[in-house]
Amino acid sequence: MFTPGDMMDRYRLILVGPFGLFTPDGRRIEITSAKGMALIALVVMAPGGVRARRKLEALLWGNRGQKQAQDSLRRELSNLRKLLAEYGAEQLLVTETKRVSVAIERIDVDIFALGLGHPDARGRIAAELLEGLDLPDCDAFEDWLREERERVHAMIELDRPVPPVPDVAATEVFGGEVPGVEEALAASSPRLPPKPSVAVLPFLSTATAQQDWLGAGIADEISVSLSSFPQLFIVSSNGARMLVEQGVEHAAIGQRLGVRYLLEGTVVRDGNQLRVSVALVVAASGEQVWAGSFIGDADGSFTLQNQIAARIAPQIWTKVDHAERQRGLRLIGSVSGDYERYWRANALSRSWDRESIAEAIALAMELVEHDPTCPWATSLAAYCNSIAWMLNHSPDREAVRRRAITHYQAAMRYGADNVEALGYCAGTLVNIRGDMELADRIIASALHILPSHQPALFWGGWVDVVRGEPVRAAERFELALRINPISGVQGQTLAGIGYTALQQGDAHTAFRLLAEADRATPGFPPTQLGLCVAAQLVGQTELARAYAGPLIEGGGLNLIGMLCRDADRILFTQALTTAAG
């Protein structure tokens, strides 16, 4: 298992700036062949550090015949292995019949620190990938190098220090004080493009003749509000209105507009107040997914439209999100289409067991292969791989971490304005022990784009827990619960608040919240760790012991290592080891 202490025994590869490969004791391995340097870079930068021989032949000797390209690759590999052997490093390059790989668990590569807030990257802002290395007779390689230089430059730019973006105050988001976790727990609150699609139908209105437009206006406002959620695809409400006026049935509207869900509602005037009732239904079947009602001042209709939209939109997204996850888990047989792949992978990533995470990774990788520039796909692939690394699900742990970083870098390049991708990127940094200052900036960017985005608030809370900022973490978690009390990650949110209580010395509150979190979402490893620690601190030693053994065997100490504050690591380590006996 790789630990930071292994760094002294590792080779170092510099790809940003002039090429350089160094032994653990600091000696430069003198590689003079330009194609040898290019070959090493091509293999190292491939997912998992593996390239097919045919791919290398095409990139480096594509202008030659197949037999000549094969011979050239074989000769270059032989020369490289002989040179590496002179430095005792022949084990770094692995040649097989159909592929070439590098022992990436033995090499620290500078590009895998880009975009992670690594200080070394900040000092090379003006450098470029493989500086000075050009192979003018290899057009395919030159095209690859040009694209990779652009990607690396984008990652270096990401590492530039930026002024912090202040959060929008919770009171500003809700127009008043945000209730705490106790009130959130006590409240009873019943969330075919490659993402869930919704059409908002014009609301039926029984208001005065002068306000016949009110139902359509509320529908338009809700559509705009829903459109701020990148998880949803919202069609024009004008198209839905035209079909309704033509008397088209709901199922046909869904088919005509290419959406899975319809949002419908009614507006009723009662004295000086308006009552708005809303229902989300599955277009094809008419099955009701969610319903709610809202009351506001009839004289402030424009304000009411905004208020209703702001309150409905997060709940609609959550219901759609939940429905899609459940639908994905109910699929039998093979998965067809990007839509199903994304949502099944999304659902499986919440299961936390080895088999589910492995399937989620496979599905996410299929999505990336289909569209490597899609931030949804790349951020989900990064996140799923980061879970596998965090929970030690793979014997080749370093390769899993590299895949997480590679996909994280792609997601940050193509999804810097996509709040869903930013959330998964921040989660990836948390899981792989990345730079939490950078993770904090990523969350700040997401909340600057959409201050009421519940997933960004959720991940922001966990970033703050890891950084040792329990006060803001609790505020973000509680705000996330208030925005969406029926969230699919309610258990993980309660666990986060439990951690903030532990960090502030309130073990009894932490124990109660973490026990509730474990009931809401069984099997979430951080919840089990926090509950074990809290149980030990409040004297529930038998319960703590029941959790401690499996946690230590399953990598519980790795989870503790994610915490940045010494005091937090000491508290959790002592409680866990004491509970284990």
Side-chain angles (χ1 to χ4, degrees), residues 1-8 10 389 397-398 433 558:
M1 179 186 302
F2 168 71
T3 63
D6 298 329
M7 296 291 287
M8 296 301 294
R10 294 163 66 85
W389 183 85
R397 195 162 177 249
E398 185 63 12
R433 305 184 193 178
N558 289 334

Side-chain angles (χ1 to χ4, degrees), residues 316-352:
I316 296 300
W317 168 71
T318 299
K319 296 306 293 185
V320 171
D321 178 82
H322 178 73
E324 291 302 312
R325 294 185 200 284
Q326 294 303 310
R327 196 177 75 87
L329 289 174
R330 291 195 299 268
L331 288 174
I332 298 175
S334 61
V335 181
S336 61
D338 287 352
Y339 185 88
E340 286 82 3
R341 283 187 179 88
Y342 178 82
W343 285 104
R344 182 166 178 81
N346 210 315
L348 289 166
S349 71
R350 310 298 177 92
S351 301
W352 297 99

Side-chain angles (χ1 to χ4, degrees), residues 418-486:
N418 184 304
V419 292
E420 180 78 359
L422 291 175
Y424 274 136
C425 285
T428 297
L429 289 181
V430 170
N431 292 344
I432 66 172
R433 305 184 193 178
D435 188 328
M436 287 299 97
E437 298 306 315
L438 175 59
D440 187 47
R441 298 206 306 269
I442 291 173
I443 290 298
S445 296
L447 293 177
H448 179 71
I449 295 169
L450 190 59
S452 61
H453 188 236
Q454 183 245 340
L457 289 164
F458 168 82
W459 281 116
W462 278 109
V463 167
D464 283 339
V465 165
V466 172
R467 293 175 68 236
E469 298 285 347
V471 175
R472 190 174 69 169
E475 180 180 280
R476 283 174 164 172
F477 283 132
E478 290 175 351
L479 183 56
L481 278 180
R482 181 61 183 87
I483 290 174
N484 204 344
I486 55 174

Side-chain angles (χ1 to χ4, degrees), residues 494-506:
L494 292 174
I497 301 175
Y499 269 65
T500 67
L502 282 173
Q503 290 175 318
Q504 296 179 89
D506 189 351

Side-chain angles (χ1 to χ4, degrees), residues 264-549:
E264 58 184 6
T266 59
V267 183
V268 178
R269 180 164 187 142
D270 183 10
N272 292 326
Q273 289 187 320
L274 291 177
R275 178 183 296 274
V276 181
S277 299
V278 185
L280 179 70
V281 299
V282 178
S285 64
E287 174 189 1
Q288 181 172 292
V289 176
W290 173 83
S293 60
F294 306 86
I295 299 176
D297 186 357
D299 294 331
S301 54
F302 284 108
T303 301
L304 178 62
Q305 288 176 218
N306 294 330
Q307 291 174 344
I308 292 172
R311 293 172 62 187
I312 288 177
Q315 298 186 62
I316 296 300
W317 168 71
T318 299
K319 296 306 293 185
V320 171
D321 178 82
H322 178 73
E324 291 302 312
R325 294 185 200 284
Q326 294 303 310
R327 196 177 75 87
L329 289 174
R330 291 195 299 268
L331 288 174
I332 298 175
S334 61
V335 181
S336 61
D338 287 352
Y339 185 88
E340 286 82 3
R341 283 187 179 88
Y342 178 82
W343 285 104
R344 182 166 178 81
N346 210 315
L348 289 166
S349 71
R350 310 298 177 92
S351 301
W352 297 99
D353 64 271
R354 186 184 300 265
E355 291 75 17
S356 295
I357 295 301
E359 184 179 350
I361 290 173
L363 291 170
M365 296 297 285
E366 291 176 12
L367 289 170
V368 171
E369 185 175 355
H370 182 261
D371 185 359
T373 67
C374 174
W376 276 53
T378 51
S379 63
L380 180 60
Y383 177 66
C384 291
N385 276 283
S386 75
I387 294 174
W389 183 85
M390 177 181 69
L391 299 180
N392 200 21
H393 280 176
S394 171
D396 196 353
R397 195 162 177 249
E398 185 63 12
V400 172
R401 187 174 187 271
R402 292 284 179 86
R403 284 199 297 269
I405 292 173
T406 299
H407 295 307
Y408 159 85
Q409 290 173 329
M412 289 301 300
R413 180 183 180 189
Y414 297 110
D417 57 352
N418 184 304
V419 292
E420 180 78 359
L422 291 175
Y424 274 136
C425 285
T428 297
L429 289 181
V430 170
N431 292 344
I432 66 172
R433 305 184 193 178
D435 188 328
M436 287 299 97
E437 298 306 315
L438 175 59
D440 187 47
R441 298 206 306 269
I442 291 173
I443 290 298
S445 296
L447 293 177
H448 179 71
I449 295 169
L450 190 59
S452 61
H453 188 236
Q454 183 245 340
L457 289 164
F458 168 82
W459 281 116
W462 278 109
V463 167
D464 283 339
V465 165
V466 172
R467 293 175 68 236
E469 298 285 347
V471 175
R472 190 174 69 169
E475 180 180 280
R476 283 174 164 172
F477 283 132
E478 290 175 351
L479 183 56
L481 278 180
R482 181 61 183 87
I483 290 174
N484 204 344
I486 55 174
S487 168
V489 291
Q490 184 186 56
Q492 291 96 318
T493 307
L494 292 174
I497 301 175
Y499 269 65
T500 67
L502 282 173
Q503 290 175 318
Q504 296 179 89
D506 189 351
H508 289 278
T509 297
F511 177 73
R512 183 164 49 84
L513 291 175
L514 287 158
E516 179 65 31
D518 197 41
R519 285 190 291 270
T521 310
F524 183 52
T527 298
Q528 296 174 334
L529 172 62
L531 184 55
C532 175
V533 171
Q536 180 67 29
L537 293 175
V538 300
Q540 297 283 345
T541 54
E542 290 300 319
L543 179 62
R545 185 177 298 112
Y547 280 103

